[in-house]
Amino acid sequence: MYYFSLEFLMGRMMQNMLVNIDMEDHYKKALMDIGYKLEDLYEEEVDAALGNGGLGRLAACFLDSLATLELPAWGYGIRYDYGIFKQMIKEGKQVEIPDFWLKGGNPWEIERSDVIYPVNFYGRVEKYYDNGTERANWVDCQTVMAQAYDTPVPGYNTYNTNNLRLWRSRPCNEFNFDSFNQGDYFGAISERQSAEYITSVLYPNDSSPSGKELRLKQQYFFCSASIRDIIRRYKKNHGNDWSQFAAKNQIQLNDTHPAISTIELLRILLDEERMTYAQAWQIVHNTYAYTNHTVLPEALEKWSVALIQRLLPRHMDLIYLVNHFFIEKLKQKYPNDGEKVSRMSLIEEGDEKKVRMAYLSIVCSHTVNGVAALHSELLKETIFSEFNALYPGKIQNKTNGVTPRRWLHCCNPGLSELISESIGSVDEWITDLDNLQQLAGHATNPAFVEQFRKVKRANKERLRAWVKEHTGIDIPLDSLYDIQVKRIHEYKRQLLNILYVVYRYLTIKDTPRHERAQKFVPRVVMIGGKAAPGYYNAKIIIELINAVSRVVNSDADIGDLLKVVFLPNYNVSSAQIIIPASELSQHISTAGTEASGTSNMKFVMNGCLIIGTMDGANVEIAEEIG
Ligand code: 26W
């Protein structure tokens, strides 16, 4: 199985690696012998932050779980030189700093100088007929090389190790002698530089597509190299017998970002492997599955036909061909309903023609899934309802999950130990979280409750020190820690949260001093998350949070009854400190907009209450835990 994703938000690797191969205690002791603490060494590592938010972190959690389940699954993606920007707060505003995470070297990756493929762009198509099948030569292209970098993915307590293969773009070795001979030395060099540029930087948008040529180049670049790699591996075992391809290779599309790979596989089967269209289509269709992560219409990718035509001319032809057969089928099924056909067409007509990548992904896949029960129902009833009627059963639910290794055992050693002592051992639950049911009996045991409180308090102390170090703000320990951390977006309603804080502040102020202690539980409200650099409303919400924080925290009349903190540069590593210290967490998206949410799961695993709307996976969490 291959997980195709433009994002892998891995975070730090070392602790996860040591825990999974059962070496953490040995390393702890060995380092102690030479006067070091393993925890301090962990702190030296930089995050691999090759993702934006939920979608990228889900990919990283899946890799850990797939390895732990001993399934043969690899991740394929891009080795960006720059991950998601670092967020600094200057005068209450977000400032973006480039994240050149490779500057100190990356000890976890293995450079594969032996795994390298050419990837073509631009050029033109020469068509010809071969026994009635239309094929093409794609000529006069610009060629870029894709080089593999491998990161091992060990499972927890397993013998096998999976792999995350990320591609880096390199100039083609064939120097452009034409330009060189014509005296255009700088032109020839700049062509080489533009090749390296493809994998330079992760696009920091997490809900609206950029529509930029470079983004489409990134998508096709990694898709093409990955498909080549999969075909090479298959042929090593099966030669030219393609009958087993779909049985041996399954590709999961993490949203539509890698959707162009469906057409790349089709192209290779037709133009290089010389199959009939029917044969090639069968293989593509039986190989692919597509995961949708959002119902927000502005987040659905649509690439301009003119851009695809120029960058990938053969692919545009083939998209039209796929659409032709699809529309034939629609016309048969729904005669005289031209409106329906144009609604469902892979091509959106209008001033600028566009390819609807979600529809392309549905048509090219055998299975489509949403990421929580409610979200999957919404897919079937709203944005994909006509596809659900056409292909009954194709759209399914696969509720998201998170790895308990990183999000409980590693980030909350105190709670991990308490759970393990209470129900036997770590192996009782760490690969099968259902077994936490056994804790129910301990909930009324005073010794357990006392221990649980101790653990939470220690975690709060750790977060308090972190807040002091990163913001300079002193927060009290004996106060309710109320947390909302996620990308800043209007639909997630950080604005609602901060307006509530203003209301609470004013209500406290309206209450006579001697009544306050009785009426209000002291609270520290913490909000953190990055705003896409071009998302104006998200950025002014950050400013508002910082403005409220300044007013409330400097009001001596309020004291420790209320504190407000904007947590800067929320990322995987800070999440591992923030989440274990939480007592109340906010998941308050407008119902129907948050596809699943995954931090909600991490918060409850760390003994935190959720306050939330009945949205995404909150619904299932409420059913499961009450
Ligand atoms: C092309 C621009 C772009 C980039 C990313 C558009 C959309 C996205 C993602 C779909 C955004 C995302 O991360 N979605 C989140 O996916 C998580 C994992 O399934 C869910 O838990 C979140 O609810 C969903 O918002």
Side-chain angles (χ1 to χ4, degrees), residues 348-560:
E348 181 181 278
E349 302 290 335
D351 284 352
E352 197 185 12
K353 280 200 203 179
K354 289 181 172 167
V355 180
R356 296 161 166 156
M357 302 308 279
Y359 292 2
L360 176 69
S361 302
I362 297 173
V363 170
C364 291
S365 296
H366 56 79
T367 304
V368 175
N369 75 285
V371 290
L374 175 72
H375 170 63
S376 301
E377 287 308 307
L378 285 173
L379 289 183
K380 288 186 274 183
E381 283 162 19
T382 64
I383 60 171
F384 300 151
S385 61
E386 292 183 295
F387 288 87
N388 188 48
L390 180 66
Y391 307 121
K394 190 176 205 171
I395 303 178
Q396 306 180 0
N397 177 245
K398 294 288 170 285
T399 300
N400 281 167
V402 301
T403 169
R405 270 74 63 192
R406 179 179 296 260
W407 296 110
L408 180 47
H409 180 71
C410 291
C411 70
N412 200 342
L415 185 56
S416 170
E417 210 173 303
L418 175 59
I419 294 171
S420 300
E421 280 168 6
S422 307
I423 67 176
S425 78
V426 75
D427 290 314
E428 281 292 307
W429 58 271
I430 200 167
T431 57
D432 188 356
L433 219 53
D434 285 344
N435 291 333
L436 292 189
Q437 293 276 9
Q438 295 172 42
L439 283 177
H442 297 263
T444 49
N445 169 359
F448 179 88
V449 172
E450 174 60 24
Q451 271 308 111
F452 179 86
R453 285 201 167 128
K454 257 194 172 148
V455 167
K456 184 61 79 180
R457 201 174 166 82
N459 292 336
K460 286 172 72 177
E461 274 174 23
R462 183 171 66 161
L463 177 58
R464 184 164 75 147
W466 188 95
V467 168
K468 178 71 182 168
E469 184 186 339
H470 292 93
T471 69
I473 300 173
D474 286 302
I475 57 171
L477 196 57
D478 292 308
S479 183
L480 181 88
Y481 284 13
D482 168 347
I483 298 180
Q484 185 179 27
V485 280
K486 46 185 85 225
R487 286 296 289 254
I488 310 291
H489 205 291
E490 285 156 288
Y491 84 79
K492 295 179 190 280
R493 298 200 291 194
Q494 284 92 356
L495 181 57
L496 180 66
N497 191 5
I498 197 64
L499 289 176
Y500 170 70
V501 172
V502 172
Y503 166 79
R504 189 175 174 91
Y505 170 73
L506 296 174
T507 314
I508 294 172
K509 285 199 78 80
D510 281 347
T511 306
R513 274 175 155 252
H514 65 278
E515 288 174 21
R516 288 180 188 171
Q518 211 198 2
K519 283 198 170 155
F520 301 97
V521 172
R523 201 184 274 217
V524 181
V525 175
M526 296 175 248
I527 305 177
K530 293 174 184 176
Y535 189 173
Y536 179 80
N537 281 349
K539 287 185 144 178
I540 58 172
I541 289 169
I542 292 177
E543 266 193 84
L544 176 61
I545 296 165
N546 281 304
V548 171
S549 162
R550 213 171 45 227
V551 171
V552 172
N553 297 349
S554 61
D555 189 338
D557 177 46
I558 292 291
D560 279 353

Side-chain angles (χ1 to χ4, degrees), residues 193-260:
Q193 282 185 333
S194 68
E196 311 240 73
Y197 201 60
I198 295 175
T199 57
S200 285
V201 49
L202 166 77
Y203 274 84
N205 292 347
D206 117 306
S207 53
S208 59
S210 68
K212 291 270 172 18
E213 179 165 332
L214 183 61
R215 168 76 175 183
L216 183 59
K217 271 191 176 173
Q218 290 183 335
Q219 295 183 347
Y220 177 66
F221 170 80
F222 111 78
C223 288
S224 176
S226 307
I227 295 286
R228 290 270 176 222
D229 203 37
I230 292 168
I231 291 177
R232 179 194 50 80
R233 189 171 305 122
Y234 178 80
K235 283 192 165 180
K236 225 165 57 183
N237 297 315
H238 299 267
N240 274 328
D241 171 16
W242 285 88
S243 65
Q244 298 297 301
F245 187 84
K248 300 293 183 188
N249 299 287
Q250 286 292 298
I251 300 175
Q252 191 75 33
L253 299 174
N254 197 20
D255 214 280
T256 59
H257 314 157
I260 194 68

Side-chain angles (χ1 to χ4, degrees), residues 124-130 133-139 141 228 266-275 313-318 321:
R124 60 196 173 78
V125 169
E126 287 176 349
K127 288 190 185 155
Y128 63 95
Y129 280 89
D130 170 21
T133 299
E134 190 182 82
R135 306 193 194 282
N137 294 314
W138 183 12
V139 297
C141 304
R228 290 270 176 222
L266 186 67
R267 184 188 71 82
I268 291 171
L269 299 181
L270 280 173
D271 294 349
E272 297 181 15
E273 300 298 330
R274 302 181 158 266
M275 291 183 190
R314 179 58 175 154
H315 297 77
M316 196 58 245
D317 285 347
L318 291 176
L321 191 62

